[in-house]
Amino acid sequence: MRKTTLLLALCLLAGCTTKSPMDQYIDGLMSKLTLEQKIGQLNLHSAPGFISAERVMEEDENAQLLHKGLLGGIYGGPNPNLLRQYQEIALQSGAGIPLIFGMDVIHGHETVFPIPLGLSTSWNMELIEKTARMAAMEASACGINWVYSPMVDICRDARWGRIAEGGGEDPYLGGEIAKAMVYGYQGRDQQYAADEVMACVKHYALYGGAESGRDYNSVFLSRQEALNGYMNPYKAAAEAGAGSYMSSFNEFEGIPATMNAWLMDDVLRKAWGFDGFIVSDATAIAEEIAHGIGDLQEVSARSLQAGLDMDMNSDGFVGTLMQSVREGRVKEADIDRACRRILEAKYKLGLFEDPYRYFSEEKFATEVFTAENRAFAREVAHECQVLLKNDGVLPLSKGKRAAVVGPLAQDTGAMAGTWSQSSHNGESVTLWQGIQEVTPASYAQGSWLLRDATLEDGVRYGLIRMFAPHIPITPVHTVPQSTLLAEAVTKARAADVVIACVGEIAGMNGEGASRSDITLPDTQVELLKALKATGKPIVVVLVTGRPLALTEVEPYANAILNVWSPGIEGGHAVADVLFGDVNPSAKLTTSFPRSVGQLPLYYNHKNTGRPHPDYEPYRKFTSCYTDELNGPLYPFGFGLSYTAFSYSEPSLSAAEMAINGSVTASVTVTNTGSCDGYEIVQLYIHDKYSTSTRPVKELKGFQKVFIPAGESVNVKFQLTAEELSYYNHELEWVCEPGDFEIMIGPNSRDIQSVQLTVR
Ligand code: BGC
């Protein structure tokens, strides 16, 4: 260690710098590249057909670009043969630089896990890391070395369809998830073994703050609120060593994120030390024209100068940067900088040593979508089901006759969820399949998904019509709603229990699928109403990609089990919970509103000068509604179990803490019920007086603990200035001495607190 420091000092004195082998290699390579070839490295295209192409065609635009050395990477081609052929062309043409291959591997690759919002409700970071690890193993066997995940956009408005793709509304939990996923994809040692892939953290930044939840919409946040409420997950991912970021579609402070130098250079690179490359989102550079910034040449130049390195699908860099250099609008040094960052990523991935290291027919045959991987997907889905209501009807006894009804009961796509491109999506175990395997059961569709047939066709087949028009589609609403209802009622009458599978199919959430009304569609409510009239117990299995406003649904249900889109083994995993083989333990990572008018709704809101308690009715001149409570129907952190837990009062190891010291907060949690279970114990803080206003509570710690029936566990959290700090008005990260409330409980609502003074 000492020797290295001495060597470095001597070297600096002598005016020389020691270059890493990577720098030396890239210096050498770049010295041989023409300006055009360097610009080519900044260009990223999607694979043709996106979903279905098998081989590179003569007229293939990517192949033509590759021959000219004008493509640095390709994404979205799940077919390894196709990717291999592209790599061959890349190596034979231009400077022979290997391509990087990206893909939206979002919640598993071939083996599909619950959607990210569902995964987050496990609050199990080890489990989440393992899902990313398995996704990396599977994707890398297919030639993919770069995944467009984790998606870490914080979202407070469930109208936004892409809430399904992220980890919910809390920046602390989001940060923990971001780290777990980056470690899972890349490994912890930054060495990129051949089955580790580069993460691409998205969407940078603040995309989840889209005004009124409408996709791609503008974001209006102060820098302070952005940093405190939204940006911790992006920061955590940088600290975990994420290799790349994707810029987002939205604008921030009047500047599109894709050309926002404050976001990319000042914060991500300078303040957080990120040294990888940033790719635009798909066509985001070209979209800056519609944002009203300038023509393609202008927006391309500004994006590059603001710190963007790679252009996804706009052809802005490859189409205009040469001209901009000729005109003196852009410096060659700007292009060199971006090109170097992309070459560094390829170097780190080992592509210069072996451009084919991520293709493995053997691994593809033996390690992808195996029975073992599927078994793991089932285990994962066990931990991602949130029990929202249970009057005691659950768990069900095996052997009871179940009527499985509802438009989601046989939908494989709804199991796989949004952003799953697995070739095995169609093999997803449906709820109907899973339940039939454990108990005598009958099935009825029960209702249309949506009242409007055109809309239903759109959400079911919109993506297929766009990307794979050759896939046949089935017409909707071929049977009248009244016939479906009548059949369901008959089946319900003949059964002991009704399992109603309702909610959203995958096309109703995700990208470009915002909703203004997030209640259960009225056709499905009609079904629940008809079922209730039979007098049979009703278990609602809710499949959804977003929080729904369930106020109308709740009275019809004896139990509500929210299973999200639970993945390839969904039907099995849900049956395991319904019939008591698994005790549910998941807890919400988003608030579930009472009504859409409450949105945006999030637990870590600020107080006004006239605060109004969450569950008290209207009172004039306070911050409330005349016609709605402030509080959510189900709060952040909420989720039931088949057992019950009681919490002691929390205590602190000391009532005072020096600013550079630490204290331990502890609580005893007892399993007072009759079965073993996991409990997610949550710690929140509230800074009582500070130079800027602070949220009423902020999550700063959680532990998922197993507690056998009748036993107690003492749970401890260590607190330091770090957990009590925030970005002040000057955007400095500070812990301000004074009083803090430390709150512990089973969710963000039912907490007990103790006071801590920081000196
Ligand atoms: C989405 C990204 C995705 C990209 C590439 C965009 O439309 O916003 O999340 O990674 O497409 O498929």
Side-chain angles (χ1 to χ4, degrees), residues 643-646 669-677 707-713:
T643 188
F645 299 101
S646 76
V669 184
T670 305
N671 182 341
T672 56
S674 53
C675 64
D676 302 346
I707 314 181
E711 292 191 16
S712 299
V713 168

Side-chain angles (χ1 to χ4, degrees), residues 50 75 104 106 148 151 162 165 202-203 207 216 246 249 281-282 312 419 421 511:
F50 202 76
Y75 77 96
D104 287 285
I106 309 292
Y148 299 162
M151 188 284 212
R162 302 198 79 170
E165 296 174 48
K202 68 189 191 185
H203 303 84
Y207 184 28
Y216 318 119
M246 185 185 293
F249 289 124
D281 201 340
M312 191 196 298
W419 262 139
Q421 298 181 68
E511 186 171 357

Side-chain angles (χ1 to χ4, degrees), residues 159-176:
R159 288 174 293 181
W160 193 49
R162 302 198 79 170
I163 197 171
E165 296 174 48
E169 71 193 34
D170 183 73
Y172 172 79
L173 179 62
E176 297 302 297

